[in-house]
Amino acid sequence: MFQRYSRRRRIGAALAAVWVVGLGATEAVADRALTPVPFKDGFESGTTAAFHRKGIDGTGTVGVAAAPGGHGGKAVRFVMPDDGKSYRTEIATERVPYGSYRYTFANYLPGDWIRYDSQTIVSQWHGGTGTSPAVVLAVKGDRWMMIVHWKTVSEQVDESKQPAHEIKYDLGPVRLGHWNQWSFDITWSSATTTGSITARLDGAQVGSHLGPNSYHQDTAPYHKIGLYRPNWQAWKGHKAGGTQAVVNYYDDITITAISPGASTPSPAASPQASSTTTAPPSQPDASASASASASAPAPATGPAAPGVEPGAEDDIPMDTGVDTDTANDAGPLAKTGASNRIPIVLAVGSALLAAGLALVLRSRARAARRRAGGHRGRVVQGAGDRIDP
């Protein structure tokens, strides 16, 4: 009996240990699928290895080069040719948990940038397969634009079933041959949290958004940088325009966890005038714009790209899940990471733990009853009473 009791205790302890080890391994996988916070990369290593995912459609390139414009050091250089095939050249971080973050980065559009009157997305925060990006930073003509998409809890996340709500903000004029110092303070919205965005350029606030700003998925959106021209996709009718390649530089990428309403970053040497817009959550699908101050720097100028009409309709890209990764030994940009498997693993682990604990408690109860029975028998015998078989 004692051997059986010990064996059951060992089995129960083993099952509990399996659950603990399995949970620890799952958490480790989940940690690898999330961007470490704080995150920082200035590309001085000469690689983009800190960005575990890369998406290139066409013949574009991503590489580290000497930073232009007197910036010093190295920067990542995105090149996208107008060859009729290329429309995206991007790298991305992994996801982050829900919370409040400050995303800072610097980008540089060369002086020979050719004006394009549809959107060129240079930075986006994406929710994953089947969704348009939650937050977009784009160049449209000679203006910076911020676009926010969201869905309510009761709405389908899949864009093909129900389009996202959208609101657009004009963040002011574009400067060519200038390092733009960006800061985005984002509190990601959830079923219980009101979202917010504060955008700053060269230290001055240029836009804000109050209300939903995500799709309320298992983790918050991840950050992508580079170049994306949705209207350059061949299936939309775009053909090689014969123009020079589009180039964008990025440097000094950081992600820092902050408290909502954290203090403003220090202004740069020549900040732009403040320009702010706010969209309350009670006004879905509204549009708002803010005009730049008359003292703002001169906007980007130049000939329009061939085949593009001013005011052309913009098609915000949807992550379809068919992107292929070309470097860094990473999965496609559309992957959701390990976090979507955690509930299943936890359920299995919990069942194992429950089974192990049940065996341990049952064995202990039986052992206690045996000890109690033996103790009563010895007491009765000591009193001289007869014990019937």
Side-chain angles (χ1 to χ4, degrees):
M1 295 296 291
F2 179 78
Q3 291 179 348
R4 183 182 302 173
Y5 166 67
S6 299
R7 183 165 57 251
R8 285 175 176 166
R9 288 194 65 178
R10 288 197 298 269
I11 292 174
L15 288 173
V18 167
W19 179 82
V20 172
V21 173
L23 178 58
T26 302
E27 290 176 342
V29 171
D31 288 343
R32 287 196 298 270
L34 297 175
T35 295
V37 176
F39 171 89
K40 182 177 181 179
D41 190 25
F43 306 102
E44 295 307 309
S45 66
T47 72
T48 60
F51 293 78
H52 296 162
R53 298 187 289 183
K54 177 185 291 186
I56 297 178
D57 290 277
T59 59
T61 59
V62 178
V64 177
H71 186 65
K74 299 175 181 178
V76 61
R77 183 173 185 259
F78 300 91
V79 181
M80 192 170 66
D82 185 11
D83 57 9
K85 301 177 182 178
S86 304
Y87 62 92
R88 180 179 63 165
T89 304
E90 294 179 303
I91 58 176
T93 65
E94 298 287 0
R95 296 178 175 219
V96 294
Y98 278 97
S100 299
Y101 301 93
R102 175 167 292 158
Y103 300 84
T104 65
F105 50 87
N107 87 302
Y108 178 93
L109 304 180
D112 59 358
W113 175 279
I114 295 179
R115 176 188 172 117
Y116 184 71
D117 286 312
S118 290
Q119 290 183 37
T120 302
I121 296 172
V122 298
S123 198
Q124 56 177 303
W125 289 262
H126 219 303
T129 304
T131 64
S132 296
V135 182
V136 168
L137 174 64
V139 179
K140 181 176 174 64
D142 58 7
R143 311 291 295 182
W144 288 112
M145 301 295 297
M146 180 175 74
I147 305 166
V148 183
H149 297 103
W150 72 88
K151 290 234 174 160
T152 62
V153 176
S154 62
E155 294 172 323
Q156 293 283 345
V157 171
D158 188 345
E159 292 297 292
S160 65
K161 297 179 180 177
Q162 187 171 8
H165 301 293
E166 177 184 274
I167 191 167
K168 298 181 179 180
Y169 300 95
D170 184 342
L171 302 186
V174 173
R175 294 176 66 185
L176 302 181
H178 167 76
W179 277 99
N180 305 285
Q181 304 292 330
W182 291 99
S183 172
F184 285 81
D185 286 2
I186 303 179
T187 295
W188 293 110
S189 65
S190 68
T192 58
T193 302
T194 300
S196 65
I197 304 171
T198 300
R200 298 181 180 92
L201 175 57
D202 294 338
Q205 183 171 312
V206 291
S208 67
H209 170 86
L210 178 63
N213 58 16
S214 76
Y215 296 90
H216 303 173
Q217 295 168 293
D218 55 352
T219 54
Y222 57 87
H223 190 196
K224 296 202 281 187
I225 61 174
L227 290 164
Y228 198 146
R229 282 189 171 173
N231 288 356
W232 268 19
Q233 296 179 70
W235 68 269
K236 296 179 181 178
H238 179 76
K239 298 180 180 179
T243 61
Q244 65 190 36
V246 184
V247 178
N248 183 23
Y249 291 85
Y250 259 87
D251 200 8
D252 300 328
I253 318 296
T254 70
I255 305 175
T256 307
I258 61 173
S259 299
S263 59
T264 305
S266 300
S270 301
Q272 288 186 334
S274 175
S275 174
T276 306
T277 58
T278 301
S282 60
Q283 297 179 354
D285 300 319
S287 296
S289 63
S291 299
S293 168
S295 62
T301 58
V308 178
E309 296 295 331
E313 183 68 22
D314 293 312
D315 189 354
I316 299 296
M318 184 197 311
D319 198 329
T320 61
V322 298
D323 310 322
T324 56
D325 127 64
T326 58
N328 295 339
D329 297 324
L333 284 171
K335 77 172 187 176
T336 59
S339 59
N340 63 337
R341 295 192 297 269
I342 290 177
I344 298 175
V345 177
L346 288 180
V348 173
S350 298
L352 288 174
L353 177 63
L357 290 176
L359 283 174
V360 170
L361 294 175
R362 183 179 179 185
S363 297
R364 287 183 176 179
R366 288 182 175 178
R369 287 197 297 271
R370 286 195 298 271
R371 288 195 299 269
H375 180 69
R376 288 195 301 270
R378 286 192 295 273
V379 171
V380 171
Q381 289 182 17
D385 295 332
R386 175 185 179 86
I387 298 178
D388 293 328

